[in-house]
Amino acid sequence: MKKIWIFAERQIDVIHPCFYELLGKAKELYPDAEMTALYFDGNERCLEELKRSGVNRIILAKHPKLEQYEPEYYAEAMEDAVKKEQPDILLIGATAIGSELAPTVAAKCETGLAAHCADLCTDEHGELVTLIPAFGGKLLGEIMVPATFPAMATVKPGTFERKDVEIPASVETESMDTAFLDRLDSRITLVGMEDEPHQGENIENAEVILCAGLGIQSKENWEKAQKLAGRLKGVLGYTRPAVDMGYVSNEDRMIGTSGKMVHPKLYIGIGVSGAAHHICGMKDSQVIISINSDPTAEIFKISDYKLVGDSTAVLDELLKCL
């Protein structure tokens, strides 16, 4: 029976939603496996939440040095647990914390890590296969970790839907011996924490999304796309070229495996080519409309409606109509 561990990251006083997304996917692939939540810090509210999550077991690492995320202490604690129990698979959400923690632990455990996976599946022998955009997003590559344990993977929040899972009659909670952390001194010192207020609507919850790609062509068209998004009561997202060209100063609304995973009722892509790493971030949109001057653009393969034309002319006409 497979032993599958999922890192349960705390988000203030609740478990991060990506834990449940990973748990549902793991249950789908391995319905008879033992599911274990690996949880650090000991917040009682989160611990009670995990007992009702659907896992069979909770491994709790409690220590003053684990009360706030600190990469060296978290990595040491995770390495210690993994080497003692040797799970088959370890899944971690590709959050800001997970994206740093996972490769550190993989290196310490001398095992393989598939990062920012677009999907998880199994082969004919029931072994984990991870799918990752490769060659600039032009295709999906299959990655396996056949000879070392655990096979590790990180998955962006929002990649999988949260699913209802059966809750076991009893959940075993085991406390790790974390006394070894007393002897460790991190090279990193936490000097303070500040909450950054969110700017505008959260793109993950938007029902209408316009997405500007490389074919947006100019800052003037970018401003037209912003105006159009407002008239549609939607949110303007973008692919990486918008960041590279200086239209935006951050990646808050970038869509794809290296950005946000979105599932709007309506997605309108303007000048988006359709690289695999972007498609993975929006393929579950209910209605997809794509505008591109290239009639062979990859994005058209998954679109419900396609419009072949120049983005400047199309934006001008849409603004006139609306």
Side-chain angles (χ1 to χ4, degrees), residues 75-265:
E76 288 287 342
M78 190 173 286
E79 177 196 8
D80 183 74
V82 165
K83 286 184 174 178
K84 283 178 180 174
E85 300 226 8
Q86 299 185 331
D88 297 293
I89 296 169
L90 173 57
L91 302 177
I92 299 175
T95 60
I97 288 175
S99 295
E100 176 180 52
L101 181 62
T104 308
V105 173
K108 284 175 170 289
C109 295
E110 299 183 331
T111 190
L113 166 70
H116 288 73
C117 299
D119 202 359
L120 305 176
C121 58
T122 57
D123 65 7
E124 63 273 19
H125 305 296
E127 298 304 318
L128 182 68
V129 179
T130 60
L131 301 179
I132 296 187
F135 297 102
K138 291 180 173 61
L139 55 85
L140 288 175
E142 294 183 352
I143 294 181
M144 296 184 67
V145 184
T148 55
F149 295 92
M152 291 181 62
T154 63
V155 181
K156 207 68 170 157
T159 301
F160 305 126
E161 290 185 14
R162 179 172 177 169
K163 298 176 181 175
D164 292 331
V165 296
E166 184 179 345
I167 299 176
S170 61
V171 179
E172 181 184 358
T173 302
E174 297 178 20
S175 295
M176 278 179 57
D177 180 3
T178 56
F180 67 94
L181 290 174
D182 294 336
R183 303 184 295 273
L184 294 178
D185 289 317
S186 174
R187 294 165 293 178
I188 299 169
T189 302
L190 178 66
V191 295
M193 296 179 68
E194 292 183 14
D195 289 331
E196 183 175 308
H198 182 69
Q199 301 294 323
E201 185 180 348
N202 190 328
I203 196 168
E204 294 105 309
N205 300 328
E207 294 190 348
V208 177
I209 293 176
L210 271 71
C211 183
L214 178 61
I216 201 73
Q217 299 178 355
S218 67
K219 180 70 171 178
E220 183 183 1
N221 282 347
W222 172 265
E223 291 168 358
K224 290 176 184 177
Q226 286 183 309
K227 189 180 293 186
L228 182 61
R231 292 186 186 180
L232 291 170
K233 295 183 172 58
V235 176
L236 180 62
Y238 40 85
T239 58
R240 185 165 293 282
V243 182
D244 296 340
M245 291 186 289
Y247 299 158
V248 289
S249 59
N250 56 57
E251 301 178 3
D252 281 355
R253 293 184 179 179
M254 191 169 77
I255 299 170
T257 52
S258 57
K260 300 294 176 65
M261 315 300 278
V262 297
H263 318 90
K265 291 182 178 179

Side-chain angles (χ1 to χ4, degrees), residues 209 262-268 279 281-289 302 304:
I209 293 176
V262 297
H263 318 90
K265 291 182 178 179
L266 174 62
Y267 166 97
I268 302 174
I279 287 176
M282 47 64 69
K283 60 183 171 57
D284 295 324
S285 305
Q286 290 183 29
V287 176
I288 299 172
I289 300 173
I302 64 157
D304 298 291

